[in-house]
Amino acid sequence: MSATIAIAGAGLAGRLFAWALAGAGHRVQVFDARPGPEPQFDGHGAAAFTAAGMLSPLAELEKAQAPIASAGWRSLALWPAIVHRMSPGHPVGLQLHGSLLLSQRSDAGAAQRVLDRLQQPGLEAFPKPQPLEPQALAALEPALRRSPGLLAWLLPGEGLIHPLEAMAALQADTPGCAWHWSQPVDRCEAGWLLLDDGRRIDADWVIDCRGLGAKAQLPELRGVRGEVVALDAPGHGLSRSVRLLHPRHRVYLVPRTADQLLIGASEVESEDRSPVSLQSAVELMAAAHSVMPQLAEARITRLDRNLRPAFPDHRPRLHHEPGLLRLNGMYRHGWLLAPALVDQLLKDSGLGALPHTP
Ligand SMILES: Cc1cc2nc3c(=O)[nH]c(=O)nc-3n(C[C@H](O)[C@H](O)[C@H](O)COP(=O)(O)OP(=O)(O)OC[C@H]3O[C@@H](n4cnc5c(N)ncnc54)[C@H](O)[C@@H]3O)c2cc1C
């Protein structure tokens, strides 16, 4: 039976819920604080636009626990079915042929400590890091040939999604959904939400996906600042994401298109949304350059920053009661986790499920 649904927040979770529910024939409205669906790159708005889009259940175990990785593997099985349903006018880049971990030989001890964390109990059924000899690395990623002496591991099955394409497709390919921009939501309750302008919207189901914007109702939420550098690097040649294990900072290089790369990401305990700091920019770019010296002539097209919505335990919170769903606190794993968590809440509420087969 068709239900009325009011979603607060048109970020990653909000768009995924809207896409699934409108597609299943429900009457969906979405309210977002931002003036429109496109990213502004001003440090406000959806963290999903700033994200690298790495789908890394294994690599994220460096900081996360086994349940995050399990949910991540479930999402990796769901993304192809979602992307497959997007219209040809809204293609979404999705790659699932693994990612790479790299370390300088001098940092081998620190790298081994990280690798040990990737073998946590409870994950025996999932792929393991595979060490790569230099020739195997050069064959897999010729773009890394110019950095001899690197230690390398393939993380099989990990992947990448293009966040800007996915955000655009999820919004544009949701016919019948009413999108309300510049409409911040003050409260979400079972069966109704309250807009900042005092209007009350009644619905069979309210879904709270405001990210950090839900903090007034979820006071434990905090923002964790992350900064990225977007590069124009024609013919860079990289086909997988690459993480550099370094004792002081973690830096990754993510191929966006054949000519564009993203370098990420700082992790700073701060809710400061001001522009990228010189120190972060220098550290990110120096680490990327150490792995791919040929990036020296790349052009910096954007420096961006945003806040990851996180709870103290760094785990997402799913809330389900009649008339109200909440999904929040996806921290640094939103793209990795969102399909599995949205699917779970849709099933728990009886509202449906995400498609499981491409
Ligand atoms: C630098 C960086 C790199 C990242 N890299 C990755 C990665 O590689 N892989 C990965 O899996 N994850 C990554 N993430 C994390 C991921 O982006 C987040 O976990 C995810 O975006 C959270 O999704 P969300 O829908 O909860 O929140 P958001 O995407 O932040 O969306 C929240 C939405 O709510 C709206 N909103 C806020 N307040 C209100 C209000 N009062 N009323 C109405 N609307 C409101 C906002 O405008 C926004 O549209 C990264 C994040 C950052 C910052």
Side-chain angles (χ1 to χ4, degrees), residues 107 172 220 236 239 243 334:
D107 301 328
E220 283 189 319
H236 57 74
S239 68
R243 281 180 201 242

Side-chain angles (χ1 to χ4, degrees), residues 8-14 31-34 45-48 50-54 183-185 209-211 213 226-228 252 265 306-309 327-328 330-337:
L12 170 56
F31 299 86
D32 196 279
R34 300 298 283 175
T50 305
M54 288 193 299
Q183 301 273 331
V185 174
C209 302
R210 288 172 290 170
E227 296 151 296
V228 298
Y252 48 76
N306 213 313
L307 304 180
R308 306 169 178 97
L327 172 53
N328 220 309
M330 289 193 286
Y331 181 42
R332 45 183 284 154
H333 321 292
W335 285 97
L336 174 66
L337 298 180

Side-chain angles (χ1 to χ4, degrees), residues 9-297:
L12 170 56
R15 288 181 197 215
L16 202 48
F17 271 118
W19 177 81
L21 290 165
H26 298 294
R27 282 165 291 153
V28 181
Q29 309 190 67
V30 183
F31 299 86
D32 196 279
R34 300 298 283 175
E38 286 88 23
Q40 312 282 313
F41 304 119
D42 59 359
H44 296 265
F49 286 123
T50 305
M54 288 193 299
L55 308 175
S56 305
L58 259 177
E60 287 293 306
L61 281 167
E62 181 191 355
K63 295 201 167 174
Q65 305 299 321
I68 298 286
S70 300
W73 288 115
R74 289 204 300 281
S75 286
L76 276 163
L78 292 168
W79 273 122
I82 298 167
V83 165
H84 184 75
R85 280 167 175 73
M86 296 302 165
S87 66
H90 300 109
V92 177
L94 177 71
Q95 177 272 93
L96 298 175
H97 57 261
S99 72
L100 292 170
L101 278 181
L102 299 181
S103 159
Q104 304 289 354
R105 262 178 213 286
S106 51
D107 301 328
Q112 191 53 53
R113 278 193 291 281
V114 172
L115 285 162
D116 290 344
R117 276 199 57 81
L118 309 194
Q119 330 264 348
Q120 290 182 25
L123 296 169
E124 291 77 10
F126 298 114
K128 306 271 173 299
Q130 295 175 2
L132 291 175
E133 294 300 324
Q135 302 91 317
L137 175 64
L140 213 54
E141 290 292 351
L144 300 174
R145 233 186 229 135
R146 290 167 66 175
S147 309
L150 284 173
L151 300 173
W153 296 264
L154 175 67
L155 305 184
E158 289 205 340
L160 263 183
I161 191 162
H162 194 309
L164 301 181
E165 291 178 355
M167 288 286 278
L170 285 169
Q171 195 262 330
D173 277 346
T174 302
C177 175
W179 301 89
H180 303 282
W181 305 107
S182 301
Q183 301 273 331
V185 174
D186 181 49
R187 290 193 71 74
C188 291
E189 301 293 346
W192 57 275
L193 60 73
L194 188 65
L195 297 173
D196 266 16
D197 64 12
R199 276 184 301 145
R200 174 180 155 139
I201 307 292
D202 293 309
D204 296 326
W205 287 91
V206 167
I207 308 183
D208 187 357
C209 302
R210 288 172 290 170
L212 199 54
K215 191 170 177 163
Q217 281 193 274
L218 303 171
E220 283 189 319
L221 262 183
R222 75 184 198 288
V224 180
R225 178 178 163 94
E227 296 151 296
V228 298
V229 181
L231 296 182
D232 194 21
H236 57 74
L238 200 64
S239 68
R240 293 170 178 77
S241 64
V242 168
R243 281 180 201 242
L244 182 63
L245 299 175
H246 184 279
R248 263 180 307 149
H249 38 257
R250 296 286 175 264
V251 178
Y252 48 76
L253 270 162
V254 172
R256 275 278 162 88
T257 66
D259 299 326
Q260 291 172 352
L261 284 169
L262 191 87
I263 312 173
S266 61
E267 180 149 344
V268 186
E269 269 305 332
S270 163
E271 294 192 348
D272 174 5
R273 294 183 185 266
S274 67
V276 174
S277 73
L278 179 130
Q279 178 170 344
S280 293
V282 166
E283 285 180 1
L284 292 174
M285 289 189 269
H289 180 254
S290 76
V291 176
M292 285 180 69
Q294 65 270 41
L295 289 180
E297 281 304 314

Side-chain angles (χ1 to χ4, degrees), residues 336-355:
L336 174 66
L337 298 180
L341 303 186
V342 166
D343 189 53
Q344 187 179 329
L345 280 171
L346 289 174
K347 287 174 178 159
D348 290 350
S349 59
L351 283 168
L354 286 180

